[in-house]
């Protein structure tokens, strides 16, 4: 297998190759670092590349292979970490150039799990400033670009994470999702992205300043890779404000589960926001047709999400204000968001209202197993397309674009984005599957079934090959 093929090989397969001695961790790291050196200047996938740390870790792991056969599941497999998460000894800028020399002295909880699973960290990936926007173009950094077409965004705020995997600059990636920030980039870049259930993945060592709407999760080339990384990062850490028991069997095992006929609802619009564009609508209808062919019961219906819009916006804006970064150090959009922040009383009222509406949405799933929606309401925007808009104009456009994503954040339900084809600009088209609370296993089984019926892994961006 040549170096390009290795760079696009699923992470689980790479782990098998390492165990069989067909490739070493050091060889893999060198392949990815060389590709990062060649392509990152065009793509902006990484803010920070930890070449020396990665090579040292890879050398140690390569040597360890000769002395032990007891290896963690992803021993020697390279991964990227989003630059909103701390890695000890590495810069954590949160997409703010003032903090580029902010060196973390601890690992976030998910990073601890990732290291224990044997991964080798290649670097920190691009994000919007403090993760507040669905495109990754913070002031002071090169914009992250879509490997399928450099004129377009890879999404945000996990834009660099998705770009790194899609371009073969990482085998797999960690991302986070507070309003679509895993699902959107996965959709833009033709990848699988899972937004786990509330309480599935730890937020250690921090508390939760976003009323439970945000979580860490995987971005990968295949459903199996994403499921296996979710297995790695799932689990309770002492003091977590929300938690769920680990699945039995594993999420990876769910990719092999034979499904019966599921009750599947679908929609192509979001109440009070509007209808999806032709590409996004076609992706849903194409997927629904395939689901019917696979024996599932499909029906066009979806919950009324309109009551979520205002309270979710208030909670989101309060999270930006609570970032801890001085307002004067933030870019214009985030300063404007902070200026809109309401009183503590209004915030608590918004949280309560969001929870009331969420109850109504979750009740919809009493008679439905899965809801199929667009990931975004229109195709990816071009890099810099909204750069000259006022904050008010940008905010309205963001709400319109990402509208199908925040409901699952508000309710805490699991959701998974999967690719289904290409649009007229040669960009990937995707849909999201939303499941019952804590029912990631069902979504993963269904996504694996769709993946088998409509394989995607053979597609690679021309730029990266």
């Amino acid at each position: 297998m040549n170096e390009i093929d290795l760079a696009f090989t699923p992470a689980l397969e790479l782990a098998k190759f390492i165990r069989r001695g067909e490739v070493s961790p050091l060889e893999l790291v060198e392949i990815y670092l060389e590709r990062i050196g060649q392509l990152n200047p065009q793509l902006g996938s990484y803010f920070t590349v930890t070449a020396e740390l990665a090579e040292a870790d890879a050398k140690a792991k390569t040597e360890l292979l000769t002395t032990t056969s007891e290896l963690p599941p992803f021993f020697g497999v390279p991964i990227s970490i989003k630059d909103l998460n701390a890695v000890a000894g590495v810069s954590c800028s949160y997409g703010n150039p003032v903090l580029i020399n902010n060196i973390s002295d601890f690992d976030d909880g998910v990073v601890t799990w990732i290291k224990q699973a044997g991964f080798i960290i290649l670097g920190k990936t691009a994000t919007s400033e403090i993760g507040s926007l669905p495109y990754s173009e913070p002031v002071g950094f090169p914009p992250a670009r879509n490997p399928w077409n450099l004129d377009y965004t890879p999404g945000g705020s996990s834009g660099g994470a998705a770009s790194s995997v899609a371009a073969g600059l990482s085998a797999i990636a960690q991302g986070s999702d507070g309003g679509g920030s895993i699902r959107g980039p996965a959709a833009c870049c033709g990848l699988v992205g899972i937004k786990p259930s509330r309480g599935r993945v730890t937020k250690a060592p921090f508390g939760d300043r976003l009323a439970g709407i945000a979580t860490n999760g995987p971005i990968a080339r295949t459903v199996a890779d994403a499921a296996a990384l979710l297995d790695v990062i799932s689990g309770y850490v002492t003091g977590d404000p929300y938690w769920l028991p680990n699945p039995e069997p594993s999420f990876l095992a769910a990719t092999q589960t034979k499904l019966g006929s599921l009750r599947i609802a679908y929609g192509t619009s979001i109440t009070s926001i509007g209808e999806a564009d032709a590409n996004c609508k076609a992706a849903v209808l194409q997927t629904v047709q395939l689901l019917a062919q696979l024996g599932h019961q499909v029906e066009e219906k979806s919950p009324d999400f309109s009551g979520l819009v205002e309270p979710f916006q208030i909670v989101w804006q309060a999270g930006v204000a609570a970032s801890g970064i001085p307002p004067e150090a933030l870019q214009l959009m985030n300063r404007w968001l902070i200026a809109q922040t309401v009183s503590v009383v209004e915030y608590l009222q918004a949280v309560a209202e969001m929870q009331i509406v969420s109850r109504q949405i979750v009740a919809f799933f009493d008679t439905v197993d899965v809801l199929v929606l667009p990931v975004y309401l229109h195709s990816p925007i071009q890099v810099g397309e909204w750069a000259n808009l006022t904050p008010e104009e940008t905010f309205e456009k963001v709400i319109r674009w990402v509208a199908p994503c925040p409901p699952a954040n508000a309710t805490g339900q699991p959701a998974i984005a999967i690719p289904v084809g290409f649009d007229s600009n040669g960009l990937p088209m995707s849909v999201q599957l939303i499941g019952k609370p804590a029912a990631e296993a069902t979504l993963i089984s269904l996504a694996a079934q769709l993946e088998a019926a409509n394989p995607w892994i053979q597609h690679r961006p021309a730029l990266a090959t």
Side-chain angles (χ1 to χ4, degrees):
M1 184 177 291
N2 63 38
E3 292 184 354
I4 293 176
D5 287 340
L6 278 172
F8 284 92
T9 296
L12 285 166
E13 291 299 309
L14 291 178
K16 291 178 183 177
F17 292 165
I18 290 169
R19 280 177 167 73
R20 295 198 297 252
E22 296 175 23
V23 67
S24 74
L26 183 57
E27 288 170 331
L28 276 181
V29 163
E30 288 176 341
I31 287 170
Y32 282 112
L33 288 177
E34 182 177 356
R35 290 181 63 80
I36 291 168
Q38 292 173 346
L39 296 175
N40 197 57
Q42 299 172 67
L43 289 166
S45 303
Y46 287 85
F47 284 163
T48 302
V49 180
T50 54
E52 291 185 6
L53 290 173
E55 287 176 337
D57 192 10
K59 287 176 183 176
K61 283 184 166 63
T62 299
E63 292 172 4
L64 189 60
L65 278 169
T66 64
T67 62
T68 182
S69 60
E70 296 295 322
L71 301 173
F74 283 101
F75 185 84
V77 176
I79 192 171
S80 63
I81 304 295
K82 185 176 178 180
D83 205 23
L84 295 184
N85 292 85
V87 176
V90 180
S91 166
C92 191
S93 74
Y94 303 96
N96 185 302
V98 174
L99 300 176
I100 195 64
N101 294 318
N102 173 43
I103 307 301
S104 302
D105 57 5
F106 64 92
D107 289 329
D108 272 0
V110 290
V111 174
T112 298
W113 294 135
I114 284 168
K115 287 183 175 180
Q116 289 178 358
F119 283 107
I120 297 173
I121 295 171
L122 294 171
K124 305 293 289 297
T125 53
T127 175
S128 55
E129 186 183 60
I130 57 177
S132 64
L133 292 171
Y135 48 93
S136 304
E137 305 170 25
V139 175
F141 295 90
R145 295 180 180 272
N146 196 315
W148 295 95
N149 186 327
L150 292 177
D151 290 335
Y152 289 84
T153 182
S157 60
S158 306
S163 177
S164 76
V165 177
L169 306 189
S170 180
I172 195 166
Q174 170 270 337
S176 56
D177 190 316
S181 288
I182 285 173
R183 290 161 286 162
C188 289
C189 294
L191 301 168
V192 179
I194 300 177
K195 198 290 288 184
S197 295
R198 182 173 299 145
R200 181 70 68 194
V201 181
T202 184
K203 295 183 74 67
F206 300 109
D208 177 21
R209 62 172 184 265
L210 279 170
I213 66 174
T215 182
N216 292 281
I219 296 176
R221 292 191 182 90
T222 67
V223 175
D225 274 4
L229 181 52
L230 183 55
D231 282 326
V232 165
I233 63 175
S234 294
Y236 173 75
V237 173
T238 302
D240 282 345
Y242 320 103
W243 63 91
L244 290 171
N246 287 338
E248 292 293 342
S250 68
F251 290 126
L252 179 57
T255 62
Q256 302 300 316
T257 299
K258 302 301 181 184
L259 286 172
S261 178
L262 297 178
R263 301 164 300 176
I264 298 177
Y266 71 94
T268 58
S269 64
I270 299 298
T271 321
S272 81
I273 301 294
E275 185 82 14
D277 73 1
N279 287 323
C280 297
K281 185 173 183 178
V284 170
L285 297 179
Q286 179 181 322
T287 302
V288 168
Q289 183 178 28
L290 179 55
L291 288 166
Q293 292 170 1
L294 291 169
H296 300 291
Q297 306 168 49
V298 299
E299 180 182 359
E300 184 174 11
K301 63 176 182 177
S302 60
D304 181 354
F305 298 121
S306 58
L308 274 182
V309 176
E310 184 176 355
F312 189 90
Q313 288 177 26
I314 291 172
V315 171
W316 183 252
Q317 289 168 203
V320 172
S323 69
I325 300 174
E328 62 272 15
L330 295 171
Q331 63 189 54
L332 177 61
M333 183 68 198
N334 283 325
R335 291 202 305 272
W336 179 82
L337 285 171
I338 289 173
Q340 312 308 307
T341 303
V342 298
S343 69
V344 173
V345 171
E346 290 170 309
Y347 167 76
L348 291 175
Q349 289 172 337
V351 171
E353 182 61 26
M354 187 173 71
Q355 291 171 349
I356 290 168
V357 179
S358 293
R359 286 182 184 275
Q360 298 165 3
I361 293 170
V362 173
F364 173 85
F365 287 81
D366 289 344
T367 57
V368 167
D369 297 305
V370 175
L371 173 64
V372 182
L373 290 177
V375 178
Y376 285 160
L377 283 184
H378 61 76
S379 300
I381 62 171
Q382 292 192 351
V383 172
E385 184 172 333
W386 295 347
N388 296 320
L389 300 179
T390 66
E392 294 91 337
E393 292 169 333
T394 301
F395 194 57
E396 288 303 314
K397 286 185 175 292
V398 166
I399 291 169
R400 157 85 185 154
W401 191 28
V402 308
C405 284
N409 297 93
T411 63
Q413 291 171 262
I416 181 169
I418 56 170
V420 299
F422 292 95
D423 69 14
S424 55
N425 291 314
L427 293 170
M429 297 191 305
S430 296
V431 298
Q432 65 170 323
L433 314 175
I434 301 174
K436 294 174 181 286
E440 287 96 329
T442 299
L443 294 185
I444 288 167
S445 298
L446 184 60
Q449 187 182 46
L450 287 168
E451 182 182 58
N454 180 26
W456 181 267
I457 189 66
Q458 74 274 15
H459 297 293
R460 300 176 186 174
L463 166 80
T465 57

